[in-house]
Amino acid sequence: MSPGAFFAGLAIFGLVVVPPFVGGRLVLRRILPSASGGLASLAAAVIAITLVTSVSEILGTFGEFRRWPLAGSCIALGIGLASIGLRVAPPDRGTSRSRVTRNPVTVVALLAAVVIAAAWTTRALGAWKGGVVDIDSLQYHLPFAATFAQTGSLVQLHYAWLDPVWTFYPFNTEVFHAVAMLAFGRDVLSPALNIGWLGLALLGAWCFGRARGVSAPCMVLALGVLGSPLLL
């Protein structure tokens, strides 16, 4: 893939995911004015993922899960959410904001996060260089994502094995991988998307403990799971 084609695909992928995120971030001022920092970003990411998945499923029901219908729908949704958010007065500046305290547990959590992220990134680079070799990815994760991108349909049953159990899996993550395939015309971002899910999981763990001031311990516990051999 040429650099021009890569950046064009990246721009198209951005047109799909950025407007729902920005629109969700703005509308949060109305439905969750106390949210700030990482919590607001996490909530906006959940909104964006929900919208992109929902739009993909609606379009895919009618065989229109394709590049430009998807991008146009997500842009329209993002503009609609942003228009709602911009009509709302900014939240009270007196709203409390959490701060990252520099204590030993926080330092350990951040260092552990760097180590786990490096381990995940190493495997992602290996997939880019030598191809995906994970058996589940080859048996059904990526074949189903590719089928969605190739056919434009999310309702046609696809059989990848004699036992049809995989055919009826939820496939929400596979839809997101298919979105990236539509943007680039091939599978380029799958390893990078996995790094994105890692970051979102760590942010969720941090926000989970924020209310009680135990963000760092919660993230360390999450890292214990995310750094396990199975997930690596």
Side-chain angles (χ1 to χ4, degrees):
M1 173 176 280
S2 67
F6 174 81
F7 286 110
L10 196 62
I12 294 171
F13 186 73
L15 291 177
V16 173
V17 299
V18 173
F21 177 84
V22 174
R25 184 69 176 81
L26 290 173
V27 82
L28 279 172
R29 298 191 309 173
R30 180 171 187 174
I31 64 175
L32 198 62
S34 61
S36 62
L39 181 59
S41 297
L42 176 65
V46 172
I47 291 174
I49 292 170
T50 301
L51 290 177
V52 172
T53 303
S54 299
V55 170
S56 298
E57 291 176 346
I58 292 172
L59 292 174
T61 300
F62 301 98
E64 291 300 324
F65 178 63
R66 305 192 185 282
R67 177 184 295 173
W68 296 117
L70 178 62
S73 299
C74 290
I75 292 172
L77 275 174
I79 292 175
L81 288 174
S83 65
I84 294 173
L86 290 174
R87 293 196 188 103
V88 181
D92 185 3
R93 294 301 179 184
T95 300
S96 61
R97 294 177 178 268
S98 64
R99 293 183 178 180
V100 178
T101 56
R102 296 181 180 178
N103 56 53
V105 179
T106 300
V107 174
V108 169
L110 295 177
L111 290 176
V114 171
V115 171
I116 299 302
W120 277 51
T121 302
T122 299
R123 284 158 175 77
L125 293 174
W128 267 316
K129 182 178 180 179
V132 175
V133 296
D134 178 73
I135 186 64
D136 287 344
S137 297
L138 296 177
Q139 283 185 326
Y140 63 94
H141 287 306
L142 294 179
F144 275 86
T147 299
F148 297 152
Q150 289 171 346
T151 65
S153 173
L154 272 63
V155 295
Q156 294 182 12
L157 297 181
H158 177 64
Y159 297 92
W161 196 37
L162 292 176
D163 186 346
V165 60
W166 295 333
T167 302
F168 302 100
Y169 278 7
F171 289 121
N172 293 325
T173 303
E174 286 74 11
V175 169
F176 229 84
H177 282 259
V179 169
M181 293 178 187
L182 287 179
F184 287 85
R186 63 183 68 188
D187 188 17
V188 176
L189 282 192
S190 282
L193 288 179
N194 287 336
I195 304 301
W197 300 131
L198 171 67
L200 194 62
L202 293 180
L203 178 60
W206 183 274
C207 293
F208 183 79
R210 192 176 80 157
R212 296 184 180 275
V214 290
S215 293
C218 282
M219 193 169 77
V220 170
L221 291 174
L223 284 166
V225 177
L226 296 168
S228 64
L230 179 61
L231 289 183
L232 283 176

